[in-house]
Structure formats: structure tokens, C-alpha cells
Amino acid sequence: MAVDKKNDGKKKRIVLLDSIGKTHEKKASVVSDRDIRVILSSGVLVNPLASSPSGVSCTPPGSKSISNRALVLAALGEGECRIKNLLHSDDTEVMLNALVKLKGASFAWEEGGKVLVVNGNGGRLEAHGDELYLGNAGTASRFLTTVVTLAASETKDFSVLTGNDRMKKRPVGPLVEALQENGAAVEYLESKGSLPLNIKAGQGMKGGDIDLAATISSQYVSSLLMCAPYANKDVTLRLVGGKPISQLYIDMTTAMMASFGLHVQKSSTEDHTYHIPRGRYKNPPEYVIESDASSATYPLAIAAITGTTCTVPNIGSSSLQGDARFAVEVLRPMGCKVEQTETSTTVTGPSKGTLKAINEVDMEPMTDAFLTASVLAAVAQNGGDGKTTATTRIIGIANQRVKECNRIKAMKDELAKFGVTCRELPDGIEIDGRPYADLSKPVGGVHCYDDHRVAMSFSVLGTIAPGGTLIQERECVGKTWPGWWDTLRQPFGAQLDGVDLEAKTVSSDVQQRSNKSIIIIGMRGAGKTTTGRLAASVLGWQFLDLDEHLEETAKRTIPDIIKDSGWDGFRDQELALLKKSLHERPTGHVFACGGGIVELQEARQLLMDYHRAKGLVILVERDIEDVIAFLQIDKTRPAYVDDMRDVWVRRKPWYLECSNYQFYSPKAPSTNTTTPFNGLKRFLKTITGHNDPLETLKAKSESYFVSLTVADVAAAAPILEEVAVGSDAIELRVDLLEDPQGKGKSPSVDFVAQQVSILRATTSLPIIFTVRTQSQGGKMPDDAHQDIQNLLQLALRMGIEVLDLEISLPESILQKTSQSKGNTKIIASHHDPKGNLSWSNGSWVPHYNETLLYGDMVKLVGVANTQSDNLSLTQFRDWATSAHPSIPIIAINMGIEGQLSRIQNPFLTPVSHPSLPFKAAPGQLSAAEIRTALSLHGVLKPRAFYLFGKPIGQSKSPAMHNHLFRATGLPHKYHLHETHDAAVLEPLIRSSSFGGASVTIPLKLLIMDLLDEIDPAAQKIGAVNTVVVDRTRSSRTHTGKPCLIGHNTDWTGMRLVLSNAGATASPSTDRNSSSSSSALIIGAGGTARAALYTLHEMGFSPLLLLGRNRPRLKLVKESFPPDYNISLVTRATEANAAPPPAVAIGTIPADKPIDGTMSSLLEILLEKKKGG
């Protein structure tokens, strides 16, 4: 479309059709790319409203509930009925199609689709024979279940009702049971209690007394009520099992039946009992569907959440629908001004961020509206001061678990992505509100479960949530409001962006992992037990060493088992235990197998089947010489019969085929030391999907990765920390590595595995794994396809965060890599080092389109001969970004002329460093050089940073910060500002050049009053030591100024040190772990509070607070919640009773002797730890 001569750049000419061969308008309309993208994309990004619309009037579509009832009643009735304002949606289309196939009525549209003319057949229907597919239309499925029982057997003897997978899980059992007891022949075809149903023709309903359980869905009641007049005799319908759900919908049905000429009498002597006489409906000449009250909650909620005004002109207090109460019973208590007449509702919200939480609201009369209430509760406050949180409790909505999805769980899970805590109740949900500005950006977007109400509710939250809210399954709103996105965009002024979710990833057989237990295999001595224990700690799971467990259960050592049963007998017991463990502990466990588990074919097949079924089987490796050295001193197991190297050679291919991931540990385990294995933590986080570096990178205004041009990572280890400063990721150029065992050849898989392991242990940055071929500017031979494939598969098996995939590789390699990528992110790249392609003539477009098939990110590298080539590249990048905003693009030119393109590239620019041997590509710059250029061009503005407090004259902070600014090319300066008066800081921190500040005594508390927000950690700790400027958000108190946020970084520093040292809290259920998860804090000052917060966040418990001033320690303890499990230690008896601490943090001065009493208490605790 972009190159079609009828179009002009981003302006496309679109012709709207009424039907095939008939246009809706005489001339084509000019439509922007952005609007087209929203229409064509599977997802939509809802951006926060830039301005607040005032006085919006919004008319929702016709009610789904009333529309479906009207269609049934008109079809069962006699004569013509003109239905106006019928909802045009998936649900009503399903109902219309089914009634036509059942020959229940004839339909015709008039007035351009505004009026549906129904000619009812008076209840004379015919069985269809074939399936009536209802999709996910719950209302239609319940109503038609009874309607179809009325069908006669003219040419077919039965009808089948079915739907999609979700519909086949939704309950219909109580209705079917009531029909069966009343003579209808209804049979389940798959699962009892759900569709599909086979309904025999000609049976009908005999009438008389019908008992129905109506505590799950009022639609069962309405279905029987509407069809009861066509039973063989009068019906008395009794609703049993307790108070019926959604009584107002039952009342709606009886009121509509009266409009079609049949009056239901509610019993005056029996509760929840209805008398329905036999008869036929007489269609009224005209029936007007009122707007959907459930849908009306969304525009009214937008007014509430944004502090604006909205009127729904055709829903008021006289509405048949229970959800019409939403404004009065929910929005008004939340602080909104509500004006409601019989026919209209107007809502004016309070100022943004001041909605009030509701202690408890019973939404049983309006259950569908609870989703709308939930997103409002997510940002509701207690008292409306914008800084404290409160809880809203919604009850009476148990039936929402069996709607299009389990809506209660869906709201809990999706609100959690925004950082909102919810708790499910038996019949409702509790939601802890938080300031809207503190909402997290939902990673991956909101999953809608194909539920229209989930999508529309979260789009309301999207109008205020920072950073934009991605709504997946955009089209599901077609169920009740097909034009919702147009409504959100036009009267409300929301900015929407289409996001093509299908293009983001290629299908993967391992991408979505559950909490299935993990199996670890490998040679004895490779570190399986050490790795397994740490893995269990990182994941919060249980660990089970199967060798140790076998000895426990057999009450014999493994050497004894082998002596008595032989190796074959031992292997059989080993396999049996693995099978039993997987059966009894299918989730939440880490199993370490014996080294010889792969010797049995049956065991190998079990392991292969497990990882093919999306389980994780991890091969733990170590250099065979290190393994041999360890085994020579390990006498707990029998010696190998064969040479250990021969055993390794025999087992290696088995290990590889039995595993889908591998972790290489560069050092042999030690029996008396704890190896931190930070690389293992990152590995586990990646393969289990808990680490997404792409989202972190996308959030940055500019990002860089440094290209390592070293032959051996181990040899370069001393410079790696320096080289990585200022970059956001580190690229391992595998093709540049030189394997000492294969001079002049491609590096071997084993050598590269070692290199990755060393790099992962050396840097905390995400690793980009790159194999560049000669034609793409690298050293790997172009025809070394098998070597390249082996290396790419190694990268995926090692859980590399990012993989560079050249699209010039054979398609078989591209497909295999993309299909097995797991949670690794792919940069799909194409390089043109010879300059054959041009950015200006469209020759790059086919290559770009191909990268979209495989990449989470795209990298295109050309050559600049003139500066105009950089301009053409910029225009191409802008086009690509607008066409596919969810796929980041790296677009640069090589050569001296292309350096400008590197400076202007905002996302993940490849950079070099002066300490590296050479640059990875011609014209490559360092990150510092690029930042210097950006500052000279005014893109990076100089900022002033400070240390506030007194006395601070001897602080080393300015020297350290300014050195780092210079090293990274940042134009900022760090200054001392000595004062004890917080008031004098106000002009400084509100200056346009203010970049941030460190805060020390005596201002850590005083400065809080000057800031817009306080981070939750700083609130809990009770002190701010860092001020951060967020220029993406505005100050609440200073118009036109950025938002200032107070943080406490003491705890993040403590967490980093402990994590780097391998400190993790052992799962309390770890049966084989003798380690303690208690932690010791020495002191009672402000830093002790940060230590308590740190250790609690890391999962340690109990927390032992040791000091000499018991009253002061008690005050500290009482300032934290009981779940911190703090125990005071000021006496020897308390120290003796306390568990041995796993970690300790000292917060007392290090330059002074420790008090004698404290010293003796420490000796007790630490000797206990030593003894354990």
C-alpha cells in the first residue's frame, strides 16, 4: 500500500463496502496508517489520555441481554415485529443464524441495518440435524438449549449445539437436568454438564412442575421461562438451592414476556416460584432495545477515573437492567457526582487520582459490572489523598467464574501485572488500590481470555495507567460493542496504536512453561546437587537428590545396594524412584538424578518424553578433568568400572538427547564452600520465563550493546567490567573466538559453552550470542551450516538471553532456531557489507519483511557512501517503526560516513570500547563517543546532581560520580550542597537542570515533604536517600515540572551484595537442606530498618535483631508488620534459642569496638552456625 501510486505516503485511500460490488460512499476515504493499523492488528495499545474530554455524550449499543431475549421471543411469537437498536455483535449473529437454521423465523434488515424485521413462526421450529456452532456465546447457548427442545422432526431427528473450547467448559448441567426431568431428550456428547449437546426432535416439554437450581446462572431461568408457554401444559417453575443469582435479569425476562403478550405470575405463597400459562406470543409491531447497561459502565467509568463528565442518554433509573444501578451504587460511593433521571445517567468523576475505595459492595444485581468496578478499585484511595492505599471488597459475583472465562481469577491475574494486589473470595474479590502513577506497565499486555468485558474494562484503566496498556485479542469486544475502539478514540480522544501480536514471535514448543518439576542430569561430580539446591532456592521450590532419597528409602548405601543387587538391579531401582517422584511430585520440585540414569534405554525415553512435553531437563556439565579430580577424592560412591573418560564419551550423546537445556559450570564443587553461581540464577530466570531483557531495553530512550572482539573470554576477563560500563548488553562474537584445540577451525561447541559460562559469571548484563558469517562481515565460513546450527542450538540450550539470527542462513536453520527458541529473544538480522542495497529505493523492504518472521527485534546494517544515505536510513527506520511499533529496529550504516547513523540509532546500538583489541565493524563508535556527540547536539542535556546533608565536606561522591560521567560520555556534574535545612532545597530540586540527588543525615526524613511520591520501600524503611527525576510524568504539586520520587537504595545495595555472594533463603520444605533461612541484623538504627526490609524481601525468616538497647530494638520491631517475624536478641537465652543465621548484616560503626554484651551474643550465634 505504501508504494501504490494512488496513495500518498502515510495517507491511504480506503473504499468502504456495503456489500460485494456495492460501495458505501461515492469517493474513497483517506485513512491514516495509524488507524489502519488499529483495525488490522490483533492487539491495541491504549495510551493515557493526553487531555481530559469534557461533557462527553455516549450511547452504547443495544443490550446484549435484551437483544437475545427479543430475538427468541419474536421468533417464538406470531406476526411481524420491527426490532430497533438491536445489538450487532457476535452473540446476536450466532442467535440469528441458529434461529434461521431452525426455521423459527424469517429476518430482514431495513433502514441500513438499523431495523430488524422479524416474522415469527409461532413456536413451530424444525430440527437442523447438523451442528449449530455457537462460538463462545454463553447467552445464546443457554437460551437455545431449551428452544431446540421445541423443534419438530420434519426432515431431521435431532439438533446438535456446540461451541469453542471455552464454551465446552462452561456449565449448562442444571438446565439440562431440568429439561431431562421434564421429558426432553438431551444427551451430552463429550463432558457431562457442558456442550456439545444432542437434542432429540419432537420431544418438547411436558410442563407441570419444574425444579431448577438457579444459583449459578439466571440464564437457565430465563431460558425455561421464555419457552414454558409452549409446553404441553401450564408450568410451575420453582427455583431451588437458595437465593437465585441475578434476580433482576429474571425480572427483565418476565417483563419482556409481558411485552410479547404472555404474563408470568410470581407466586405469592412460595418463594422464587413462577406460574407460566400455555399460550403463544403475539409480536408487538415494534420493540426498541435499550442500550446495554453493562456496556454503559465503561464510558461512565472513564469519566470517573479521569475526573471528567460523561452522559449516557438512554439508560436511567427505569431501566430493565440491573447494571443501570452501577452509577448510583458504585460510582457515587467512590466519590463521583451522579445525576440520574428515568432515562439518562450523567457521571462526573473526582479529580484524577482521588477515587475512594469502597469497604464492601454487593454487586449481585449487576455482576457483569464488577470488572469495571475492579479496575476503578485498583486506583482507589482511602480518603482520596493520593498517597495511601485502601481495599475494596466486591461480593455477590460467584457466577462470574463461569462466564466467558473465570473472570474473578482473570481480574486478579491481570491486575497483578499492574502491581495491584488482589485476593479471591468465595463469592468475590478484594482489591488493594494504589496511586495510578505507581501502576506497573503490564509486560506482554493484558490477556483478555477472549472475553469482551475483560478487554473493555482494562481499556478504561489504560486511559490513566502510565506507559500505555496493551490489550490483546482486540476483536473480542465484538461480542457486545464492535465499535468500542472507535468510541474510545473519538469522543474520549484516546490515542490508540495497533500491535500485531502474531508478528512478535514464531511458534515455540517450549516457550510457555508451567511450574512442572525440573530434572537435573549429568556426570557424578559435575555439580548436580549444588546446582539443584541453588535452583530450588532461586525458584522457591523443593529439592530432592534422588541418590540420597534412594538411600533413605532403602535404608542402605548405594555401594551396599550395588553389592546386593548388582548394577542392573541398582539401575532398576533408580528408574523406579524417578518415575515415582515425577508421579508424586509433578510440580514445584527440582530432582537431581544419579549420573548413570541415562544408561537405561527406558530412562532415556522417559527423559526425552518429559522435555518434549514442555518439561525442563537440565544437563549440568563441567570440564571432564575437573570432574575426574573431584571423583578421585569422593569415596561416597563406588568407583567406575570403566575409565571415567570412556564413560563420559559413552554417555555424552545420551545426556544431550535426554535434555533440552544445559548449564556449564567452570569450577569443580567444593564440599565446604558455597558457590554463588550468579550465572545459574540468570540461566534459570531466562529458561523459566522470569527474565525479559527486551522489555527493559525497550523502556530506555537509548540503549547500547558492546561487541566483544576477543579470542578468549577467560583471557579478557580483567577488562570485561571496564568494557561493559555504559552498555546495556554484551555481545559475544562467537565467530571471533579461537579454540586452542582447533586451530584455524570454527570454535567447538564445548569451547563455546565454556566461554559463555565464563562471560555469564563475569557480567550481569544480558548476553547477545552472535555467529557472523564471512559474507555478513564475520569470520565463520558461509557454508559451515552444520557448525552454525550446532552453535545456535547450544545458545538456546544454555538459555542465552538474546540470539542474533542471520536471515541469510538456510531456511531450515531459521525454522529450527525460531521453533526451539524458548524464552530467548531473537534479533533477526541482515548485513549488507558490500553496499548492494539502498535505503531509498525499497530494496531493503523484502529483507526487513523476512526479519519480521523470526525476530523479536530487527537489525539491518548497510553502508553509507554519503551523508544522504544516513538520512534515507532514518526515513526507513521511521517508516518501519510506525509500521511495526512493537518490533524494535536497529538500523545503522557501516563506514566513516555511516557514523552519524550510529549516533542517531536509539535502540541497542552496537558499540566498541578502547580497551578491546579491535572494532567489530568499520565506523563503530564507543558508547561514550556516541553520548558525547548527542550532548554536543543538545539531545543529551547536561544535568546537575547533588549530595544533600550536613556534614558532607569529606564525601568522595563527587569524585566517583564525575569520573563515571566522564567515562560514559555523559555531560552531567555532581555537586555537594551542604545544609541541614530542607526548605532551601525546594528551588534547587525544581530547577529544570536538576538531575537527581543523594540524601544523607539530617535530611532523610525532612526531604520527603518536598517530593511528589515516596517509593513503597522507602516508606516502609522510613527514610529517603535518593531523589529520582521522572520526566515522563508531571508533578502533582508543581505545574509543568517533572515528578520527583524518593527512594531508599540502602536495601537494593544490600540485596545486590547478598545475591552476588549467593545468599538465598532455602525453601522451608527442602527436605535435604540443613541450611537455615534465618538472618541476623546487628544494630537498631536507620540502616537496620533497611536491612530488615531487604532480608524480608529476600524471603529470610525469622529475622534476628541483635543489639544492646532493648526498648529501641522493640520500637523498630513494632514499626514492621507481624509477617516480618522479627525476634529480639539481647540476652544469652534468646541467642541460644535462636536458629543459626544464614546471613548477617552489621549496621553498627565498623571503626569502633563492639560492645561486650553484643560480642558475646554474636559468639553464641556464630558458633552455632559454625557447628551446624
PDB file of all heavy atoms in Angstrom, residues 2 59 128 158 173 398 454 544 591 599 625 655 657 699 715 777 812 866 1019 1038-1039 1129:
ATOM      1  N   ALA A   2       2.031   1.160   0.660  1.00  0.00           N
ATOM      2  CA  ALA A   2       2.854   2.365   0.788  1.00  0.00           C
ATOM      3  C   ALA A   2       3.388   2.835  -0.556  1.00  0.00           C
ATOM      4  O   ALA A   2       3.654   4.025  -0.738  1.00  0.00           O
ATOM      5  CB  ALA A   2       4.008   2.103   1.750  1.00  0.00           C
ATOM      6  N   THR A  59     -23.637   6.904  23.588  1.00  0.00           N
ATOM      7  CA  THR A  59     -24.757   5.964  23.516  1.00  0.00           C
ATOM      8  C   THR A  59     -24.232   4.573  23.205  1.00  0.00           C
ATOM      9  O   THR A  59     -23.806   4.309  22.082  1.00  0.00           O
ATOM     10  CB  THR A  59     -25.769   6.390  22.440  1.00  0.00           C
ATOM     11  OG1 THR A  59     -26.229   7.717  22.718  1.00  0.00           O
ATOM     12  CG2 THR A  59     -26.944   5.429  22.405  1.00  0.00           C
ATOM     13  N   HIS A 128     -32.454 -29.341  13.036  1.00  0.00           N
ATOM     14  CA  HIS A 128     -31.494 -28.986  11.984  1.00  0.00           C
ATOM     15  C   HIS A 128     -30.641 -30.166  11.529  1.00  0.00           C
ATOM     16  O   HIS A 128     -30.272 -30.270  10.370  1.00  0.00           O
ATOM     17  CB  HIS A 128     -30.575 -27.863  12.496  1.00  0.00           C
ATOM     18  CG  HIS A 128     -29.587 -27.393  11.488  1.00  0.00           C
ATOM     19  ND1 HIS A 128     -29.937 -26.904  10.252  1.00  0.00           N
ATOM     20  CD2 HIS A 128     -28.224 -27.344  11.533  1.00  0.00           C
ATOM     21  CE1 HIS A 128     -28.857 -26.562   9.578  1.00  0.00           C
ATOM     22  NE2 HIS A 128     -27.806 -26.824  10.337  1.00  0.00           N
ATOM     23  N   PHE A 158     -32.752 -34.773  15.064  1.00  0.00           N
ATOM     24  CA  PHE A 158     -32.014 -34.211  16.192  1.00  0.00           C
ATOM     25  C   PHE A 158     -31.337 -32.908  15.772  1.00  0.00           C
ATOM     26  O   PHE A 158     -31.219 -32.597  14.588  1.00  0.00           O
ATOM     27  CB  PHE A 158     -30.958 -35.192  16.706  1.00  0.00           C
ATOM     28  CG  PHE A 158     -29.885 -35.495  15.687  1.00  0.00           C
ATOM     29  CD1 PHE A 158     -28.715 -34.761  15.629  1.00  0.00           C
ATOM     30  CD2 PHE A 158     -30.066 -36.510  14.750  1.00  0.00           C
ATOM     31  CE1 PHE A 158     -27.737 -35.023  14.681  1.00  0.00           C
ATOM     32  CE2 PHE A 158     -29.096 -36.775  13.790  1.00  0.00           C
ATOM     33  CZ  PHE A 158     -27.937 -36.038  13.760  1.00  0.00           C
ATOM     34  N   GLY A 173     -25.278 -27.809  32.980  1.00  0.00           N
ATOM     35  CA  GLY A 173     -25.861 -29.002  33.594  1.00  0.00           C
ATOM     36  C   GLY A 173     -27.191 -28.801  34.280  1.00  0.00           C
ATOM     37  O   GLY A 173     -28.139 -29.568  34.035  1.00  0.00           O
ATOM     38  N   ALA A 398     -20.162 -14.667  42.470  1.00  0.00           N
ATOM     39  CA  ALA A 398     -19.616 -16.016  42.284  1.00  0.00           C
ATOM     40  C   ALA A 398     -19.871 -16.550  40.885  1.00  0.00           C
ATOM     41  O   ALA A 398     -19.066 -17.304  40.335  1.00  0.00           O
ATOM     42  CB  ALA A 398     -20.220 -16.962  43.327  1.00  0.00           C
ATOM     43  N   VAL A 454     -13.450  -8.191  29.859  1.00  0.00           N
ATOM     44  CA  VAL A 454     -12.069  -8.023  30.319  1.00  0.00           C
ATOM     45  C   VAL A 454     -11.372  -6.967  29.464  1.00  0.00           C
ATOM     46  O   VAL A 454     -10.708  -6.061  29.981  1.00  0.00           O
ATOM     47  CB  VAL A 454     -11.310  -9.362  30.247  1.00  0.00           C
ATOM     48  CG1 VAL A 454      -9.831  -9.151  30.584  1.00  0.00           C
ATOM     49  CG2 VAL A 454     -11.910 -10.385  31.201  1.00  0.00           C
ATOM     50  N   LEU A 544      15.242 -32.400  45.737  1.00  0.00           N
ATOM     51  CA  LEU A 544      15.335 -33.805  46.102  1.00  0.00           C
ATOM     52  C   LEU A 544      16.496 -34.424  45.344  1.00  0.00           C
ATOM     53  O   LEU A 544      16.475 -34.511  44.112  1.00  0.00           O
ATOM     54  CB  LEU A 544      14.032 -34.528  45.761  1.00  0.00           C
ATOM     55  CG  LEU A 544      13.857 -35.934  46.355  1.00  0.00           C
ATOM     56  CD1 LEU A 544      13.763 -35.856  47.872  1.00  0.00           C
ATOM     57  CD2 LEU A 544      12.604 -36.584  45.789  1.00  0.00           C
ATOM     58  N   PHE A 591      14.720 -32.187  40.853  1.00  0.00           N
ATOM     59  CA  PHE A 591      15.268 -33.516  41.094  1.00  0.00           C
ATOM     60  C   PHE A 591      16.677 -33.607  40.519  1.00  0.00           C
ATOM     61  O   PHE A 591      16.889 -33.287  39.351  1.00  0.00           O
ATOM     62  CB  PHE A 591      14.418 -34.602  40.433  1.00  0.00           C
ATOM     63  CG  PHE A 591      12.972 -34.618  40.875  1.00  0.00           C
ATOM     64  CD1 PHE A 591      11.957 -34.415  39.959  1.00  0.00           C
ATOM     65  CD2 PHE A 591      12.637 -34.835  42.198  1.00  0.00           C
ATOM     66  CE1 PHE A 591      10.635 -34.429  40.343  1.00  0.00           C
ATOM     67  CE2 PHE A 591      11.314 -34.847  42.603  1.00  0.00           C
ATOM     68  CZ  PHE A 591      10.303 -34.644  41.679  1.00  0.00           C
ATOM     69  N   GLU A 599      21.942 -44.674  31.430  1.00  0.00           N
ATOM     70  CA  GLU A 599      22.431 -45.963  30.950  1.00  0.00           C
ATOM     71  C   GLU A 599      21.283 -46.867  30.487  1.00  0.00           C
ATOM     72  O   GLU A 599      21.479 -47.754  29.656  1.00  0.00           O
ATOM     73  CB  GLU A 599      23.239 -46.668  32.046  1.00  0.00           C
ATOM     74  CG  GLU A 599      24.521 -45.948  32.456  1.00  0.00           C
ATOM     75  CD  GLU A 599      25.646 -46.162  31.441  1.00  0.00           C
ATOM     76  OE1 GLU A 599      25.459 -46.931  30.477  1.00  0.00           O
ATOM     77  OE2 GLU A 599      26.722 -45.548  31.624  1.00  0.00           O
ATOM     78  N   GLU A 625      38.198 -33.030  33.149  1.00  0.00           N
ATOM     79  CA  GLU A 625      39.385 -33.135  34.012  1.00  0.00           C
ATOM     80  C   GLU A 625      39.054 -32.674  35.426  1.00  0.00           C
ATOM     81  O   GLU A 625      39.540 -33.243  36.413  1.00  0.00           O
ATOM     82  CB  GLU A 625      40.535 -32.317  33.427  1.00  0.00           C
ATOM     83  CG  GLU A 625      40.976 -32.772  32.045  1.00  0.00           C
ATOM     84  CD  GLU A 625      41.361 -34.257  32.006  1.00  0.00           C
ATOM     85  OE1 GLU A 625      41.958 -34.747  33.003  1.00  0.00           O
ATOM     86  OE2 GLU A 625      41.057 -34.919  30.996  1.00  0.00           O
ATOM     87  N   TYR A 655      23.207 -37.844  27.289  1.00  0.00           N
ATOM     88  CA  TYR A 655      22.876 -36.652  28.072  1.00  0.00           C
ATOM     89  C   TYR A 655      22.245 -35.577  27.177  1.00  0.00           C
ATOM     90  O   TYR A 655      21.275 -34.912  27.556  1.00  0.00           O
ATOM     91  CB  TYR A 655      24.133 -36.082  28.731  1.00  0.00           C
ATOM     92  CG  TYR A 655      24.644 -36.851  29.931  1.00  0.00           C
ATOM     93  CD1 TYR A 655      26.013 -37.043  30.115  1.00  0.00           C
ATOM     94  CD2 TYR A 655      23.779 -37.353  30.897  1.00  0.00           C
ATOM     95  CE1 TYR A 655      26.503 -37.734  31.215  1.00  0.00           C
ATOM     96  CE2 TYR A 655      24.266 -38.044  32.001  1.00  0.00           C
ATOM     97  CZ  TYR A 655      25.620 -38.226  32.149  1.00  0.00           C
ATOM     98  OH  TYR A 655      26.089 -38.902  33.255  1.00  0.00           O
ATOM     99  N   GLU A 657      20.656 -35.854  24.228  1.00  0.00           N
ATOM    100  CA  GLU A 657      19.328 -36.154  23.696  1.00  0.00           C
ATOM    101  C   GLU A 657      18.265 -36.186  24.793  1.00  0.00           C
ATOM    102  O   GLU A 657      17.076 -35.975  24.528  1.00  0.00           O
ATOM    103  CB  GLU A 657      19.343 -37.491  22.936  1.00  0.00           C
ATOM    104  CG  GLU A 657      19.475 -38.726  23.796  1.00  0.00           C
ATOM    105  CD  GLU A 657      19.383 -40.015  22.999  1.00  0.00           C
ATOM    106  OE1 GLU A 657      19.203 -39.913  21.766  1.00  0.00           O
ATOM    107  OE2 GLU A 657      19.492 -41.108  23.598  1.00  0.00           O
ATOM    108  N   ALA A 699      12.239   0.079  27.290  1.00  0.00           N
ATOM    109  CA  ALA A 699      11.846   1.199  28.155  1.00  0.00           C
ATOM    110  C   ALA A 699      12.874   2.321  28.164  1.00  0.00           C
ATOM    111  O   ALA A 699      12.596   3.425  28.648  1.00  0.00           O
ATOM    112  CB  ALA A 699      11.616   0.693  29.579  1.00  0.00           C
ATOM    113  N   ALA A 715      40.785 -15.004  29.021  1.00  0.00           N
ATOM    114  CA  ALA A 715      41.964 -14.138  28.968  1.00  0.00           C
ATOM    115  C   ALA A 715      41.580 -12.668  29.068  1.00  0.00           C
ATOM    116  O   ALA A 715      42.358 -11.844  29.553  1.00  0.00           O
ATOM    117  CB  ALA A 715      42.733 -14.399  27.673  1.00  0.00           C
ATOM    118  N   GLY A 777      30.185 -10.051   7.109  1.00  0.00           N
ATOM    119  CA  GLY A 777      31.190  -9.265   7.797  1.00  0.00           C
ATOM    120  C   GLY A 777      31.867  -9.969   8.949  1.00  0.00           C
ATOM    121  O   GLY A 777      32.572  -9.330   9.732  1.00  0.00           O
ATOM    122  N   SER A 812      16.023 -23.905   6.779  1.00  0.00           N
ATOM    123  CA  SER A 812      15.916 -24.984   7.756  1.00  0.00           C
ATOM    124  C   SER A 812      16.519 -24.567   9.096  1.00  0.00           C
ATOM    125  O   SER A 812      15.983 -24.896  10.163  1.00  0.00           O
ATOM    126  CB  SER A 812      16.617 -26.240   7.229  1.00  0.00           C
ATOM    127  OG  SER A 812      18.004 -25.980   6.980  1.00  0.00           O
ATOM    128  N   THR A 866      27.528   8.424   1.339  1.00  0.00           N
ATOM    129  CA  THR A 866      27.386   9.865   1.553  1.00  0.00           C
ATOM    130  C   THR A 866      26.508  10.072   2.780  1.00  0.00           C
ATOM    131  O   THR A 866      25.832   9.140   3.250  1.00  0.00           O
ATOM    132  CB  THR A 866      26.733  10.553   0.340  1.00  0.00           C
ATOM    133  OG1 THR A 866      25.387  10.092   0.206  1.00  0.00           O
ATOM    134  CG2 THR A 866      27.496  10.255  -0.950  1.00  0.00           C
ATOM    135  N   GLN A1019       9.063   4.126  52.037  1.00  0.00           N
ATOM    136  CA  GLN A1019       8.020   4.338  53.038  1.00  0.00           C
ATOM    137  C   GLN A1019       8.163   3.345  54.178  1.00  0.00           C
ATOM    138  O   GLN A1019       8.055   3.713  55.354  1.00  0.00           O
ATOM    139  CB  GLN A1019       6.644   4.202  52.380  1.00  0.00           C
ATOM    140  CG  GLN A1019       6.256   5.354  51.456  1.00  0.00           C
ATOM    141  CD  GLN A1019       4.868   5.157  50.867  1.00  0.00           C
ATOM    142  OE1 GLN A1019       4.314   4.063  50.908  1.00  0.00           O
ATOM    143  NE2 GLN A1019       4.313   6.204  50.301  1.00  0.00           N
ATOM    144  N   HIS A1038       3.525  20.889  41.306  1.00  0.00           N
ATOM    145  CA  HIS A1038       4.245  21.952  40.600  1.00  0.00           C
ATOM    146  C   HIS A1038       3.953  21.830  39.103  1.00  0.00           C
ATOM    147  O   HIS A1038       4.507  20.968  38.421  1.00  0.00           O
ATOM    148  CB  HIS A1038       5.758  21.859  40.860  1.00  0.00           C
ATOM    149  CG  HIS A1038       6.140  22.144  42.277  1.00  0.00           C
ATOM    150  ND1 HIS A1038       5.880  21.268  43.306  1.00  0.00           N
ATOM    151  CD2 HIS A1038       6.770  23.216  42.847  1.00  0.00           C
ATOM    152  CE1 HIS A1038       6.334  21.782  44.445  1.00  0.00           C
ATOM    153  NE2 HIS A1038       6.877  22.958  44.193  1.00  0.00           N
ATOM    154  N   THR A1039       3.067  22.664  38.626  1.00  0.00           N
ATOM    155  CA  THR A1039       2.639  22.601  37.233  1.00  0.00           C
ATOM    156  C   THR A1039       3.818  22.765  36.288  1.00  0.00           C
ATOM    157  O   THR A1039       4.659  23.656  36.454  1.00  0.00           O
ATOM    158  CB  THR A1039       1.601  23.710  36.948  1.00  0.00           C
ATOM    159  OG1 THR A1039       0.511  23.561  37.869  1.00  0.00           O
ATOM    160  CG2 THR A1039       1.075  23.601  35.521  1.00  0.00           C
ATOM    161  N   VAL A1129      17.140 -10.165  70.095  1.00  0.00           N
ATOM    162  CA  VAL A1129      18.220 -10.921  70.734  1.00  0.00           C
ATOM    163  C   VAL A1129      19.049  -9.937  71.562  1.00  0.00           C
ATOM    164  O   VAL A1129      19.914  -9.226  71.042  1.00  0.00           O
ATOM    165  CB  VAL A1129      19.112 -11.629  69.694  1.00  0.00           C
ATOM    166  CG1 VAL A1129      20.222 -12.408  70.404  1.00  0.00           C
ATOM    167  CG2 VAL A1129      18.291 -12.550  68.815  1.00  0.00           C
TER     168      VAL A1129
END
